[in-house]
């Protein structure tokens, strides 16, 4: 029996998580025009950082903080050492794909193939309007919106944020008015690392951490960015909830077998019908 | 592809082809007995690691006992990587380059199905150690002469569902289970859970209220669990080998008000309680054995020796059946005084061997499942265990059948 209320409740939690997963991806895509396939690897790094820290007795909240640091560090190293020297976006795609594989297979070698449980950030359940929610899932919702709000505020109401927007619109023009675009791109990569690292912790506490956990979030991020419009944070948030709803609805009411296809179908339909997505614009040439 | 890459690949192909031409399954001239183990990601995946450990222990025991036919026993291990084509390549290397006397292992049915024709071509005995679909035995039933070199010392998934049905009946009496849901990963070995188990459970006097298959990359079980709860199920029977992590987390964290049982391969792994951070507490799984169950006089002794050697208890059929299968083959080879497969196949088919889980005898060629181990009184039997916590440590307690039970069922505190 299909329960509309359950579908709605699950969509809220899942959409929030997916928004957090996609935002870092869309940020780099929008600002630098680079598709960072290592995003899935960053999510894995975040999840296992929290798992390690929690296992060593530091607690999962410290693990969450550590995951934002390791996520950002990974992205900074990846950008400074490799990506900044590459002009061709296709080569960036290949390089980040390689970096993702290196991360995945490193975890396979170190941890093994068994999934690991990242502890919940909050235990227990509560009831809101007759619907039962886990505190951990509510926290996922709240933390996602904290990150979304902070990013939105930073980008729109700080000088550095304005520089990010300017760089995303026209890198050469931004350089002409004195913006150090290389530093802005580096900052974007670091911010994306913070978002992806924290998304990994929440994703791991919601599902499980495993060496190959990055694939699903990466496909979702692609679908969300394409549906929301490349470079649009607002578009990504709305698209995340749409994708979340489609997944929950497909599993609940249609067939679990089709759940993996919904994101791919969305990509195809959007590319055919509205290639710029909900709130997107064409990439600068 | 560059010219150099092409030439390199062509050279490798020619080498493999040539090896195939000059190789053979005859071990004449070799001064050792060689076992070729096909394991799934040994050293990384628990299934393949368990197969490798069990084979190592068997080889060590055999060599300590003077070897086989007076010759030392050597173990070669190859990684199937879960791929039928890789498994086939590694198998051909074993039988043509290494002249192994027996092959063992393989985890996934899909991989084993592809390997059956290679085994038939090279007529070398394969003692299986993990795949569970009835389809492999059905291939023997259809063409015994071609496929008779394959033996499965742990039977197939039809025995799992018989034992799970018995558990459901037992829990109907003890815990008032009436309504059962079934969730099965989309793999060949789970077909009997989706197709045959519902009728068996209904025949046992319970009602199947939900029966769903799901892809093996599923991570979001919340909507499925919502559906099960909306059907007011008392328990869900899971048939899963790859997705226990997210399923356990979501079942426990979301405090689902139905019990979880079935064939949950990952939680049969004695190391799973630690890796799942205790999220599998209260979950039940069917298994061929666990170290707490005294199935035979050998069970505990084997489990403790295994633990001493590898610092972990034996894991599922991967450990118990791989060890038993190799020891049984060695015993038959000693009796027949040859490793020749044409002599060993009929001898194994008639043999009786008391292993770590009970007496192993194989179904004959007229049976529905030839060369699968027999189950029932006097042969092998399956147990159902529950993960319980004692003094902060997880322990696999047998809760069914009664004669082997080491503890009572514990209801999750959130029920």
């Amino acid at each position: 029996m299909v329960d509309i209320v359950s579908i709605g409740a699950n969509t809220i939690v899942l959409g929030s998580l997916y928004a957090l997963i996609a935002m870092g991806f869309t940020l780099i895509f929008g600002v630098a025009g680079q598709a960072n396939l290592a995003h899935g690897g960053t999510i894995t790094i975040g999840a296992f950082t929290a798992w390690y820290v929690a296992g060593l007795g530091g607690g999962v909240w410290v693990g969450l903080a550590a995951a934002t640091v390791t996520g950002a560090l990974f992205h900074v190293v990846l950008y400074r050492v490799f990506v900044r020297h590459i002009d061709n976006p296709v080569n960036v795609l290949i390089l980040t794909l390689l970096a993702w594989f290196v991360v995945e297979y490193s975890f396979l070698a170190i941890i093994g193939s068994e999934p690991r449980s990242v502890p919940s950030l909050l235990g227990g359940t509560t009831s809101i309007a007759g619907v039962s929610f886990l505190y951990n899932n509510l926290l996922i919702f709240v933390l996602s919106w904290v990150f979304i709000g902070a990013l939105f505020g930073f980008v729109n109401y700080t000088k550095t944020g304005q520089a990010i927007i300017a760089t995303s619109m026209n890198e050469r023009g931004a350089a002409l008015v004195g913006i150090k675009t290389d530093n802005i791109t580096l900052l974007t990569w670091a911010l994306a690392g913070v978002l992806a690292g924290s998304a990994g912790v929440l994703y791991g506490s919601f599902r499980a951490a495993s060496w190959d956990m990055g694939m699903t979030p990466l496909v979702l991020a692609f679908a969300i960015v394409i549906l929301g419009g490349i470079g649009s944070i607002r578009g990504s948030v709305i698209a995340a909830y749409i994708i979340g709803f489609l997944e929950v609805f497909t599993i609940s009411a249609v067939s679990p077998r089709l759940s993996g296809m919904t994101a791919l179908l969305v990509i195809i339909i959007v590319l055919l019908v509205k290639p710029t997505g909900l709130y997107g614009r064409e990439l600068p040439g | 592809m560059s010219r150099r890459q092409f030439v390199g690949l062509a050279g490798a192909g020619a080498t493999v082809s040539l090896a195939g031409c000059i190789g053979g399954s005859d071990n004449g001239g070799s001064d050792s007995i060689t076992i070729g183990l096909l394991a799934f990601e040994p050293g990384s995946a628990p299934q393949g690691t368990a197969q490798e450990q069990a084979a190592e222990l068997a080889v060590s025991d055999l060599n300590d006992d003077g070897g086989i036919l007076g010759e030392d026993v050597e173990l070669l291990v190859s990684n199937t990587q879960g791929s039928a084509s890789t498994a086939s390549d590694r198998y051909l290397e074993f039988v043509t380059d290494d002249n192994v006397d027996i092959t063992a292992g393989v985890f996934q049915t899909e991989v084993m199905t592809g390997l059956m024709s290679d085994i038939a071509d090279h007529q070398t005995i394969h003692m299986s150690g993990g795949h569970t679909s009835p389809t492999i035995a059905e291939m023997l039933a259809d063409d015994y002469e071609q496929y008779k070199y394959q033996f499965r010392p742990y039977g197939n998934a039809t025995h799992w569902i018989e034992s799970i049905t018995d558990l459901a009946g037992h829990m109907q009496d003890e815990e008032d289970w009436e309504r059962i849901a079934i969730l099965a990963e989309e793999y060949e070995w789970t077909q009997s859970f989706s197709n045959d188990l519902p009728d068996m459970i209904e025949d046992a006097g319970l009602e199947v209220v939900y029966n769903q298959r799901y892809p093996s990359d599923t991570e979001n079980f919340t909507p499925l669990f919502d559906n099960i709860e909306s059907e007011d199920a008392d328990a869900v029977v899971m048939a899963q080998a790859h997705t226990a992590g997210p399923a356990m987390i979501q079942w426990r964290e979301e405090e689902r008000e139905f019990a979880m049982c079935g064939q949950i391969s990952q939680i049969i792994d004695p190391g799973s309680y630690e890796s799942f951070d205790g999220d599998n507490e209260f979950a039940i799984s069917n298994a061929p054995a666990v170290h707490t169950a005294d199935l035979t006089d050998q069970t505990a002794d084997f489990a403790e020796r295994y633990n001493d050697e590898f610092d972990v208890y034996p894991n599922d059929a991967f450990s118990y059946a791989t060890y038993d299968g190799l020891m049984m083959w060695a015993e038959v080879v000693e009796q027949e005084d040859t490793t020749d497969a044409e002599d060993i196949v009929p001898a194994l088919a008639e043999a009786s061997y008391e292993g770590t889980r009970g007496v192993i005898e194989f179904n004959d060629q007229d049976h529905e499942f030839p060369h699968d181990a027999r189950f029932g009184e006097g042969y092998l039997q399956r147990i159902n265990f529950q993960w319980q916590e004692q003094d902060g440590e997880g322990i696999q307690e047998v809760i069914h059948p009664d004669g082997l039970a080491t503890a009572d069922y514990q209801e999750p505190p959130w029920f």
Side-chain angles (χ1 to χ4, degrees), chain A residues 1-3 6-7 10 14 18 51 108-109 111-120 122-125 134 136-137 203-210 212-213 216-217 247-248 251-260, chain B residues 40-41 43-47 183 186 210 212-215 217-224 226-227 230-231 241-247 249-250 252-256 265-267 269 271-272 274-279:
Chain A
M1 191 172 66
V2 178
D3 185 342
S6 293
I7 290 176
N10 291 334
L14 209 57
Y18 287 176
W51 178 75
L108 178 63
I111 311 255
S113 62
E114 280 295 270
R116 307 290 164 148
S117 174
V118 177
S120 295
L122 277 181
T125 57
L134 292 176
N136 196 56
N137 286 355
Y203 195 82
S205 75
F206 189 64
R207 292 185 174 176
S210 63
D212 58 351
M213 66 183 286
T216 305
E247 178 181 318
V248 173
I251 295 176
S252 296
V254 186
S255 167
R257 195 177 283 180
L258 299 176
S259 64
Chain B
F40 171 67
E41 304 288 358
S44 169
Q47 300 92 342
L183 269 184
E186 295 218 57
Y210 187 76
Q212 181 68 59
R213 295 176 70 75
Y214 66 90
D217 62 351
T218 297
E219 295 175 349
N220 186 4
F221 284 86
T222 301
L224 296 170
D226 282 344
N227 288 353
S230 72
E231 297 291 351
H242 301 272
T243 48
I249 289 172
Q250 288 161 47
R252 187 183 171 97
E253 296 291 322
E254 295 168 10
E255 300 188 344
R256 296 295 181 170
S265 301
Q266 285 164 294
I267 72 165
D269 178 3
S272 64
E274 189 179 343
S275 59
F276 288 0
D277 198 27
D279 280 325

Side-chain angles (χ1 to χ4, degrees), chain A:
Chain A
M1 191 172 66
V2 178
D3 185 342
I4 303 294
V5 178
S6 293
I7 290 176
N10 291 334
T11 298
I12 288 170
V13 175
L14 209 57
S16 308
L17 182 62
Y18 287 176
L20 192 60
I21 284 170
M23 272 195 305
F25 190 75
T26 197
L27 204 58
I28 293 177
F29 216 138
V31 172
Q34 295 161 334
N36 172 27
L37 296 188
H39 190 76
T42 319
I43 285 170
T44 313
I45 288 172
F48 277 112
T49 300
W51 178 75
Y52 266 118
V53 171
L56 292 172
V60 70
W61 283 96
V62 177
L64 176 64
T68 60
V69 175
T70 53
L73 263 179
F74 172 63
H75 271 198
V76 166
V77 170
L78 189 61
Y79 179 76
R80 289 299 291 262
V81 177
F82 300 105
V83 176
R84 71 182 296 213
H85 305 295
I86 301 171
D87 291 330
N88 188 338
V90 175
N91 289 347
V92 172
L93 201 77
I94 294 168
L95 180 102
T96 53
L97 177 68
L98 184 67
W100 176 28
F101 285 155
V102 169
V103 169
E104 279 203 342
Y105 283 95
S106 298
F107 279 113
L108 178 63
I110 297 165
I111 311 255
S113 62
E114 280 295 270
R116 307 290 164 148
S117 174
V118 177
S120 295
L121 289 121
L122 277 181
T125 57
T126 186
S127 184
I128 300 174
V131 182
S132 179
F133 283 94
L134 292 176
Y135 279 124
N136 196 56
N137 286 355
L138 287 178
L139 188 74
I140 287 172
F141 173 78
V142 171
L143 276 180
S144 291
W145 277 98
V146 166
F147 278 110
I148 292 166
L151 183 67
F152 202 78
F154 177 73
V155 168
N156 288 295
Y157 301 110
T158 66
K159 282 207 162 184
T160 311
Q162 296 291 303
I164 288 176
I165 293 175
T167 307
S168 76
M169 287 176 165
N170 189 319
E171 191 174 342
R172 191 173 298 173
L176 284 172
V177 297
I179 295 169
K180 291 178 178 172
T181 54
D182 188 45
N183 286 351
I184 291 298
T185 309
L186 175 65
L187 176 66
T188 306
W189 273 78
L191 277 175
V194 168
L195 294 167
S198 55
V201 182
L202 300 184
Y203 195 82
S205 75
F206 189 64
R207 292 185 174 176
S210 63
W211 69 282
D212 58 351
M213 66 183 286
M215 172 60 95
T216 305
L218 185 70
V219 172
L220 287 167
F222 254 112
I224 289 165
V225 168
I226 289 170
L227 175 61
I230 290 168
S232 169
I233 295 171
R234 181 176 52 165
S236 288
V237 173
I238 293 170
Y241 283 96
I242 293 173
I243 296 282
F245 167 76
L246 287 174
E247 178 181 318
V248 173
F249 181 78
T250 306
I251 295 176
S252 296
V254 186
S255 167
R257 195 177 283 180
L258 299 176
S259 64
M261 283 183 63
T262 51
L264 300 175
L265 278 175
V266 166
I267 293 175
I268 293 168
I269 292 168
V270 172
L271 288 177
L272 286 173
V273 177
K274 196 172 188 305
T276 55
L278 295 173
Y279 294 96
R281 56 184 164 72
E282 290 185 20
L283 280 174

